[in-house]
Amino acid sequence: MGPMNLQWPRILKTIKEDPKEFYEMGGWESVLGQDEEEEEEEQLESEFEAEEEEEEEASEEYESDEEEDEASEEEEEEEEEEEDEAPTWEELEEDARQADKKRYAREDMEEESPRKKKKKRDD
């Protein structure tokens, strides 16, 4: 558009008389108009927004593929955990108790064996 010769006294009078109307009519944009730079910026912004939308769509497709991969990985991990799941503390304690019982039972049997042999010999 180029440089404009504005009539400032008239513009200021309009603003002072009814600022609300001035604002409703577009404010300074209505007075100054839109210059070429702003038009170029808006055009670039709209192109950028279009590119952003395309990227978002591509990203959403990628994310959905990624989510499927994560889901299958989680399933595999769960299966591995089930297979390789370590015993709980309670299970370990119970195993230890049973092992102790067996060991004590064996020791008792070993101690009784010589006594029985002695009794048999004495008889």
Side-chain angles (χ1 to χ4, degrees), residues 13-25 27:
K13 181 181 175 188
T14 306
I15 295 170
K16 286 181 180 180
E17 285 177 0
D18 194 358
K20 187 175 181 179
E21 183 181 344
F22 175 75
Y23 176 75
E24 289 173 355
M25 292 179 62

Side-chain angles (χ1 to χ4, degrees), residues 13 15 24 26 35 40 51 55 58 60 62 80 83 92 94 100 111 113 115-116:
K13 181 181 175 188
I15 295 170
E24 289 173 355
D35 62 2
E40 288 176 15
E51 288 176 5
E55 288 177 8
E60 288 172 1
Y62 176 76
E80 288 176 8
E83 292 173 4
L92 291 172
E94 182 62 30
D100 287 344
E111 287 178 10
S113 296
R115 289 182 193 165
K116 288 182 182 178

